[in-house]
Amino acid sequence: MLQSIRDNSQGIIAKIIVGLIAVTFALFGVESLVSLTAGSNSPATVNGEEISQQDLIQGVQLQKRQMLSQMGEDADPALLDDNLISNMVLEGLIEQSVLVQSATDQGLSFSDAMIDQLILTTPDFQQDGQFNRAQFEAVLRNAGLTPMMYRNLVRKEKVTEQERAAFMLSAFTLPSELKTIAQLDSQTRDLRYFTLPAESVRASIEVSDEEIADYFDKHRTEFLTDEQVAIEYLLLERDVLASEITVTDEQLQNAYQLLVDTFQAQELRHSAHILVAISDEQDDAAAKAKADALVERLAAGEAFEALAKAESDDPASAEMGGDLGVNAKGVFSSEFEGALFALEKGQTTSTPIRTEFGYHIIKLIDVEETETPTFAEAKADLESDLLTQLSEEAYVAQLERLADISFSSGDLVEPSETLELEIHKTDLFARSGDEDEITANPKVLSVAFDGELIKEGLNSTPIELDSGRAVVLRVVQHELPREKTIDEVSANIKDTLIDEKVSQALTAQADGIIAKLKQGESLENVASGATVMTLAGVARSQQDLAQELRTAAFKLPKPAADSISYTAVDMLDGSKSILVLDNVIDAEIDLKPEEISYMSMMLSNRKGQQDYQDYITQLKENAEVERL
């Protein structure tokens, strides 16, 4: 069982699955990965259409899988809230259903031929740049999808994507809007400011013991220690077991013989084609006539590659002169495949071949046949595979022994001696974890603070940190939260009270200064000796001015003639600044055509996104949704 789990969670296939799910997320979200399989006990209906229980179950599974992949190899499924995920996925399914219904009502569609073409050109389904059916099926199988489910998924995504694109492409920005935004972005401001430093005030602040005691009495419940445990544990590592294994020549020879006995030579055919598609604009008869004419042109001596580039209706292969790559049987339709495997090397079909896509003119470029590798060629891979296999078998066997012995032992001494594993011990640590790799692991933390394990003093079951490491732990010390004493927290309380008093003092100073500015006094007079900084032509993106001041300056209203605008600004270091805006300078804008084009695209795209989101909201508000 453990071996099977590891085999299915490692390697390039697993990475491709994550990539596939990530691409689908970018297009529509996790809920778009669920199947169209109908089921009973529908958790919801949307405008009379059911969302099946199976849809919801598959959506939850896929969401959890995606979340665990994002959490990394230390992810613990027990940390996920199934109810929260289920509710989130159901809401996503409802939104998806609303959007699919809307797109269908608009007459949008995505044909089978287009889906086939998309599948053939998807990199995740290719090997060496060519579509590979085995790879396609493996990716879908590991994602919990069948080919039919995946095709329905693609169709739903593409029809809703078309409606979204309609909003994005129809949004526009008026020239006057562009000019206004460009002027605001280029606007500069003249300002002055000075700072009331916190440190000078802080030095004069005193906090009495009575104030500290009073604060402590009012906030006792805030001063609690964390619950803590100390553990001892055994660490089982596959790499350590692997270092003790030697692959013998006999094992290598036996593995090679098995390879030879099971090796199946496979004929591969490198082909190209020219497709004349049947469509609304070109019916069957017209497509057949065009394909016959192309056959005649080939017979007259025109180059197949050039003709494919110019005439083929398959855009993906046309760019490569019709090249379809090297493929075995089982990739193409039966009609196409029958004609291809009847050709001799360099030969082209004498008549067009009819399939569901249209008429094909097929050329066999080359024929290849796989050969059994020699022992020398296969030795390195065989040795690596054997070492992996043997170390995995040893690891699984030791892991099962560790589980059995730990379960029946009152401590870790017996499993330590039996399996020759060192007992490691930790200091006390809280639920937030420690800096040590083991005590920072979420899986370990979850088990270490398990109530039964703490109460009964039991050994845990093996906790798999990753595919090649596992620990068994035992709690040896447990400390419940307690109220801290005033001596433990007095320093922190004093700092808090000082910060409060500094803030109050600076606020009072700032209020007094603002009152004087309102009465007409100049900034220099109210600065009382503080250095007044004068900056002219400050831009929104200017980096030599603190962000707090820059933001405040561009929020202040434009001052009237012979007047100023002013405000007090809280600074990140606890100080306060008094800011005066003297003037606003509107720049003359002369945008280049490429700048206008770029700004228009960005603003229109933002409008389109907002319009589409508003449309989704309206659809959901108007939909008749029933939840069980």
Side-chain angles (χ1 to χ4, degrees):
M1 172 65 79
L2 291 174
Q3 177 64 49
S4 175
I5 291 173
R6 289 190 186 83
D7 289 342
N8 288 310
S9 62
Q10 301 287 318
I12 187 64
I13 297 300
K15 295 177 182 177
I16 290 176
I17 294 169
V18 174
L20 174 64
I21 295 174
V23 170
T24 308
F25 270 32
L27 294 175
F28 200 81
V30 64
E31 53 277 358
S32 65
L33 283 175
V34 296
S35 76
L36 296 179
T37 306
S40 59
N41 301 322
S42 302
T45 60
V46 181
N47 295 325
E49 293 187 8
E50 292 185 349
I51 295 174
S52 71
Q53 186 67 28
Q54 184 66 20
D55 288 339
L56 181 59
I57 292 172
Q58 289 177 334
V60 169
Q61 290 174 343
L62 290 165
Q63 175 73 308
K64 290 173 69 175
R65 185 179 303 171
Q66 173 66 6
M67 294 173 69
L68 290 171
S69 71
Q70 292 175 341
M71 292 165 66
E73 63 182 14
D74 294 333
D76 183 2
L79 299 178
L80 301 180
D81 187 328
D82 286 350
N83 289 331
L84 182 62
I85 294 174
S86 180
N87 291 335
M88 178 178 65
V89 170
L90 180 59
E91 292 306 310
L93 287 170
I94 291 171
E95 179 174 309
Q96 179 196 42
S97 181
V98 167
L99 292 178
V100 171
Q101 291 175 24
S102 173
T104 303
D105 291 343
Q106 303 300 324
L108 302 176
S109 64
F110 200 74
S111 69
D112 289 338
M114 297 169 74
I115 294 174
D116 290 335
Q117 187 59 45
L118 182 64
I119 290 173
L120 286 173
T121 56
T122 298
D124 291 339
F125 304 146
Q126 296 178 349
Q127 285 187 347
D128 300 325
Q130 301 298 327
F131 175 79
N132 182 282
R133 179 167 291 276
Q135 177 77 356
F136 169 66
E137 292 176 349
V139 170
L140 296 191
R141 185 167 54 252
N142 281 281
L145 300 170
T146 66
M148 182 60 67
M149 290 163 59
Y150 181 74
R151 292 175 68 87
N152 287 332
L153 160 68
V154 171
R155 180 176 285 105
K156 288 161 64 177
E157 286 178 347
K158 291 302 179 182
V159 295
T160 54
E161 186 180 314
Q162 290 174 54
E163 188 168 37
R164 178 178 180 273
F167 278 88
M168 300 296 291
L169 296 175
S170 61
F172 62 91
T173 303
L174 295 173
S176 58
E177 292 179 278
L178 288 177
K179 183 178 180 181
T180 299
I181 291 172
Q183 285 178 332
L184 288 173
D185 186 61
S186 302
Q187 186 184 85
T188 60
R189 300 194 166 201
D190 297 338
L191 55 89
R192 292 171 292 152
Y193 72 93
F194 69 88
T195 300
L196 302 172
E199 289 307 314
S200 60
V201 177
R202 183 180 298 274
S204 63
I205 297 294
E206 293 185 358
V207 175
S208 67
D209 292 340
E210 290 76 12
E211 289 175 303
I212 294 174
D214 182 59
Y215 188 93
F216 178 75
D217 288 338
K218 293 178 180 178
H219 300 83
R220 279 180 179 274
T221 57
E222 298 176 14
F223 301 118
L224 298 176
T225 61
D226 293 323
E227 180 185 11
Q228 293 183 307
V229 295
I231 63 172
E232 57 183 22
Y233 64 90
L234 304 177
L235 175 62
L236 179 66
E237 297 178 280
R238 184 179 58 193
D239 290 345
V240 174
L241 297 175
S243 66
E244 301 170 354
I245 296 174
T246 301
V247 178
T248 66
D249 290 337
E250 181 181 0
Q251 289 172 316
L252 284 171
Q253 289 293 343
N254 290 339
Y256 178 68
Q257 189 58 50
L258 179 62
L259 172 64
V260 171
D261 293 341
T262 57
F263 185 83
Q264 293 182 347
Q266 191 176 31
E267 183 177 285
L268 305 174
R269 296 213 157 197
H270 185 185
S271 61
H273 82 143
I274 299 172
L275 171 64
V276 180
I278 298 173
S279 63
D280 294 339
E281 293 77 23
Q282 183 171 251
D283 61 15
D284 189 296
K288 178 66 164 60
K290 180 179 178 181
D292 288 337
L294 293 175
V295 170
E296 292 178 3
R297 291 171 64 180
L298 288 171
E302 289 194 46
F304 189 97
E305 182 177 345
L307 202 58
K309 287 183 178 179
E311 303 292 345
S312 180
D313 292 329
D314 178 2
S317 65
E319 294 180 1
M320 300 178 287
D323 197 326
L324 294 172
V326 180
N327 295 281
K329 286 187 176 182
V331 173
F332 304 112
S333 66
S334 58
E335 301 90 348
F336 190 104
E337 194 169 271
L340 173 61
F341 279 82
L343 294 173
E344 299 292 334
K345 180 179 178 180
Q347 190 177 10
T348 302
T349 50
S350 58
T351 59
I353 306 302
R354 175 72 158 83
T355 72
E356 61 178 307
F357 305 113
Y359 288 90
H360 304 260
I361 303 167
I362 307 169
K363 180 179 180 180
L364 177 59
I365 299 173
D366 198 6
V367 178
E368 302 176 12
E369 188 168 320
T370 56
E371 297 180 354
T372 308
T374 65
F375 178 76
E377 292 172 336
K379 182 179 179 181
D381 288 338
L382 290 174
E383 187 170 14
S384 176
D385 291 344
L386 279 170
L387 185 58
T388 299
Q389 175 188 334
L390 294 173
S391 63
E392 183 69 17
E393 290 174 355
Y395 177 71
V396 172
Q398 290 290 77
L399 190 57
E400 292 175 351
R401 291 184 67 198
L402 177 60
D404 292 341
I405 299 172
S406 299
F407 178 78
S408 59
S409 300
D411 53 34
L412 297 180
V413 175
E414 183 182 353
S416 170
E417 294 175 348
T418 303
L419 300 178
E420 298 181 353
L421 297 174
E422 179 185 354
I423 297 177
H424 302 271
K425 296 183 179 180
T426 74
D427 295 327
L428 286 165
F429 58 89
R431 289 181 181 271
S432 57
D434 206 349
E435 296 180 358
D436 178 78
E437 178 188 11
I438 301 299
T439 54
N441 187 288
K443 296 179 182 179
V444 172
L445 292 171
S446 177
V447 174
F449 284 90
D450 179 82
E452 184 178 0
L453 209 66
I454 293 172
K455 181 179 179 180
E456 302 296 336
L458 304 174
N459 294 332
S460 73
T461 57
I463 306 165
E464 292 200 71
L465 305 178
D466 50 48
S467 61
R469 296 184 306 155
V471 298
V472 168
L473 65 83
R474 178 172 173 269
V475 178
V476 295
Q477 186 178 351
H478 177 230
E479 290 191 2
L480 291 169
R482 61 168 178 81
E483 280 191 8
K484 294 181 180 179
T485 66
I486 191 170
D487 291 336
E488 291 177 296
V489 298
S490 61
N492 292 334
I493 292 175
K494 183 176 181 179
D495 289 339
T496 299
L497 291 173
I498 288 176
D499 288 341
E500 289 180 357
K501 289 188 175 185
V502 168
S503 178
Q504 293 167 1
L506 290 177
T507 299
Q509 287 186 43
D511 290 345
I513 291 170
I514 294 296
K516 292 179 181 178
L517 290 174
K518 286 181 179 179
Q519 294 171 1
E521 289 196 42
S522 68
L523 184 68
E524 286 71 19
N525 286 342
V526 299
S528 301
T531 302
V532 176
M533 304 296 296
T534 301
L535 299 175
V538 173
R540 293 178 185 272
S541 59
Q542 194 160 320
Q543 298 301 311
D544 59 353
L545 181 66
Q547 177 67 46
E548 308 95 281
L549 290 170
R550 200 164 67 243
T551 299
F554 280 89
K555 285 184 177 180
L556 284 172
K558 183 177 181 178
D562 300 324
S563 182
I564 58 174
S565 294
Y566 41 79
T567 188
V569 182
D570 292 324
M571 306 301 289
L572 291 179
D573 62 359
S575 61
K576 278 187 180 291
S577 291
I578 307 301
L579 174 68
V580 165
L581 174 63
D582 292 312
N583 191 25
V584 175
I585 303 96
D586 293 318
E588 290 295 328
I589 301 299
D590 184 18
L591 295 175
K592 298 178 181 178
E594 58 269 23
E595 292 175 327
I596 294 175
S597 176
Y598 178 76
M599 287 183 62
S600 178
M601 179 189 68
M602 294 296 292
L603 292 172
S604 298
N605 183 63
R606 183 178 299 177
K607 284 186 176 182
Q609 289 177 339
Q610 186 58 55
D611 289 344
Y612 186 60
Q613 289 302 316
D614 292 342
Y615 179 65
I616 293 174
T617 300
Q618 183 184 31
L619 286 176
K620 292 170 68 175
E621 289 176 350
N622 294 337
E624 294 182 6
V625 180
E626 294 184 7
R627 299 175 177 82
L628 294 185

